Structure formats: structure tokens, C-alpha cells
Amino acid sequence: MNTAGPPQLERVGKYQVLRKLGDGATSEVYLCHDEFAGRDVAVKVVYGDRINDPSRGKVFRKLFVTEASLAGKLAHPHIAQIYDAVVTDQLSYIVMEYVPGGTLEQYCAPDHLLPIDKIVEMIFKASRALDFANRHGVTHRDIKPANILLAGGTDIKISDFGSAIMTSGDTTQVSGIGSPAYMSPQQVKEVQLNHQTDIYSLGVVMYQLLTGVLPFNARNNFSMMYQITTVEPAPPSSYRKEIPRSVDDIVKKAMQKDLERRYQTWEAFSLDLAEALRSDMLSSRRQEVADSEKFNTLRDMAFFNEFTDA
């Protein structure tokens, strides 16, 4: 993302622009200050020419409306909050929680990998957030390191729900959405999707964070999609010898091509991640009790039976 140069705007609606954070194919993101709430926010401004583009404008509008419609609806400690959405003839923008730690992309290089226990802890938290979204009828459909923000320590926040599909309302799935390297076989084949597509994609993210490489190495999208549907990737431990068998097995099950062999529920995925953290090999490296262990201990208490994760 290009972060160079001064901001092009001084204000976006009622928000004072502090600096430009970056830009993408359809939007620019600014760090702004909400003077009324007394907090910094990230404001995603959508390019007008993209929204009105004769060929892809309808898709871009649908993605914007999808993300905007979730404002205030997914309140979870590991989901970046959407505070507001504004659509005008001149400007359309979404106001989001500002997460200062950057994305997990910075930890996907072989020479900049995180400790294994920290990665497992982050994926556990992502799995709980996506389970929460799924219980609210939302499947993200574009899980990748760039859409997982680091809030500090092992705390992460899932962001960018523009590609999401929802069980309520308009259930038409826009095809061709997502990042090819992280797509599930079902997404590649453009069949009806459910939460298991996000489980697969989070498995790919876990693989990349553990090893510094993607499970499939392809020169183009066609080759990538072929490998996703037909090739079995090497286990993460083939790149990083200290990865325990339990973690290899979790990644393998999350990335199963066959839905029947993949994790059926987020709960099952989360449980295996928590058990891996409890194992002697990973627990011996930790200096403190993992958040996942605290969470599961509380969850087992009858008093908390009716409490949501959040």
C-alpha cells in the first residue's frame, strides 16, 4: 500500500484528517480524529469513479453497502468495529475502529516470523471472532493477513467485511471476490459457500504465519486455483522443524479440500488450537497463561453458560 505523500483531504465529513494510511483498488484510508467522540478512527473513502464505473461499479457498490450494513452489528473484541457509514453524491465513506499495530502481513516473511505459540494464540482469537460473525449470519470470504490487524500482544482484530455473505437479506453471492492464494476449493469452484470457506482461508493464513511461505506456489491465478483444488501442500514443519505435530495436524484439517474432512465447526477448530497451546511443547515456551486457556476455563464454568464470547 502506498503511504507516501500528504493527505489529499483536510476533512471527511465531521472527521479531521490526520494522515493518509494507504490506498487500495477502490478506496483510500485515512487516519482521522472524531472530535465529538474524542478518538482516532480509520475512514475508508471510496473512489467515486469506481462506484460509477459502468462495468464493475455495481460490484463495488455492493461491496460498500455490505460492509456499511454491518455498522454496529458485530461487537466483538477481535473484530474491528464499524462506527458509521455515509453515502452522498460527492463522497461515500465508512468510519472504522483504528488499530495501530498494522496487519499480519509484516509477519509473513521467513526472516520475520512470530513464535509458534503466539501464532496459535492469534489464530485462536481469529477463530472465535469468525465464529461470532458466523453466529450472526456473516461469512467473511476474504480472510488473509492483510485483513487481520494487530492490536497489541497477541490481540488481533478481523477487518474488511466488504466481501462478506450473509444468511439474511440478499443472499446472492458475487463471484470473483476474494484473494486467490487464500481461497477455498469451494470458492475457486464458485459453489455455494458457508463458514467452512473461512476456516480454510484461516488455515492458509496460519500456514503462512508459521512458515513464511504460502502453501501453494504458482505463477498465475489459474495455476494457483488448480493447485488449491488438486495438490496437497507440504506440512508446515517441513519448513520449520520446531513446529509440533499437533499444529501440523490442525493446519492440515483446516485446509482439507473435502468439506466432510475439514473442520465442521469453528468450535472444533478453536478447541484444537487451545489444546495445542496446552501441550508440553508449546506451553513450556510461554511465560504466562494464554488467553485461550483463560477463555476455555471460564467457558467450562456453569455460571458463564449463557454468556457470549464477547
Side-chain angles (χ1 to χ4, degrees):
M1 297 181 78
N2 177 23
T3 58
Q8 298 176 8
L9 302 172
E10 291 187 0
R11 298 190 72 85
V12 179
K14 67 178 184 180
Y15 305 99
Q16 176 190 359
V17 174
L18 301 178
R19 61 186 171 91
K20 185 177 179 179
L21 293 173
D23 51 38
T26 62
S27 62
E28 295 178 332
V29 181
Y30 293 91
L31 173 62
C32 297
H33 186 68
D34 184 343
E35 297 163 326
F36 294 92
R39 65 189 175 197
D40 289 344
V41 295
V43 179
K44 181 190 290 186
V45 180
V46 180
Y47 299 138
D49 59 342
R50 301 296 193 276
I51 289 289
N52 297 315
D53 181 84
S55 60
R56 295 282 287 173
K58 184 177 180 180
V59 172
F60 294 145
R61 282 193 298 274
K62 183 174 178 63
L63 299 181
F64 176 85
V65 169
T66 296
E67 189 167 18
S69 71
L70 293 174
K73 293 181 181 178
L74 293 180
H76 188 279
H78 299 304
I79 294 177
Q81 297 303 296
I82 300 174
Y83 298 130
D84 194 12
V86 176
V87 180
T88 69
D89 291 339
Q90 293 77 31
L91 206 62
S92 298
Y93 57 92
I94 295 172
V95 183
M96 305 170 291
E97 178 181 3
Y98 172 57
V99 184
T103 76
L104 291 188
E105 282 182 303
Q106 61 192 302
Y107 300 111
C108 290
D111 60 350
H112 200 207
L113 299 178
L114 292 165
I116 297 168
D117 60 314
K118 300 296 184 186
I119 295 169
V120 175
E121 184 82 359
M122 288 177 176
I123 298 298
F124 173 85
K125 291 175 178 178
S127 74
R128 299 317 305 149
L130 291 167
D131 182 41
F132 180 85
N134 179 56
R135 291 172 190 273
H136 285 74
V138 178
T139 297
H140 189 287
R141 205 168 47 145
D142 194 19
I143 294 297
K144 58 185 177 181
N147 288 338
I148 304 177
L149 306 174
L150 186 60
T154 61
D155 283 339
I156 55 88
K157 291 180 183 284
I158 306 292
S159 69
D160 200 345
F161 281 80
S163 301
I165 51 176
M166 286 168 272
T167 55
S168 58
D170 180 10
T171 57
T172 303
Q173 294 185 14
V174 178
S175 62
I177 297 299
S179 304
Y182 304 93
M183 283 183 176
S184 68
Q186 291 69 37
Q187 202 169 356
V188 167
K189 295 174 182 177
E190 296 188 356
V191 299
Q192 198 73 15
L193 302 176
N194 63 11
H195 66 283
Q196 285 176 285
T197 193
D198 284 350
I199 289 177
Y200 179 95
S201 298
L202 190 59
V204 177
V205 171
M206 187 175 178
Y207 190 110
Q208 191 176 17
L209 288 172
L210 287 166
T211 66
V213 299
L214 285 164
F216 303 111
N217 182 20
R219 293 182 178 179
N220 53 56
N221 286 348
F222 179 81
S223 176
M224 177 69 73
M225 292 177 179
Y226 173 81
Q227 290 184 46
I228 288 170
T229 55
T230 61
V231 177
E232 290 298 328
S237 60
S238 64
Y239 295 96
R240 192 173 176 183
K241 300 302 182 185
E242 67 268 29
I243 293 174
R245 174 69 179 273
S246 60
V247 173
D248 266 350
D249 289 345
I250 290 170
V251 174
K252 182 178 180 179
K253 188 167 183 178
M255 289 184 59
Q256 285 292 327
K257 302 182 190 306
D258 185 346
L259 289 176
E260 294 300 317
R261 299 176 65 191
R262 195 180 306 163
Y263 283 110
Q264 299 295 296
T265 66
W266 282 113
E267 193 74 33
F269 190 10
S270 299
L271 182 60
D272 278 359
L273 289 163
E275 288 299 323
L277 277 168
R278 285 197 190 106
S279 70
D280 292 340
M281 187 169 290
L282 290 185
S283 63
S284 62
R285 298 176 185 171
R286 290 188 279 115
Q287 301 299 313
E288 57 186 28
V289 178
D291 289 342
S292 57
E293 194 162 342
K294 297 174 186 175
F295 173 87
N296 284 330
T297 299
L298 292 174
R299 174 59 70 216
D300 288 342
M301 296 179 181
F303 178 81
F304 293 105
N305 281 349
E306 302 303 318
F307 284 62
T308 66
D309 283 10

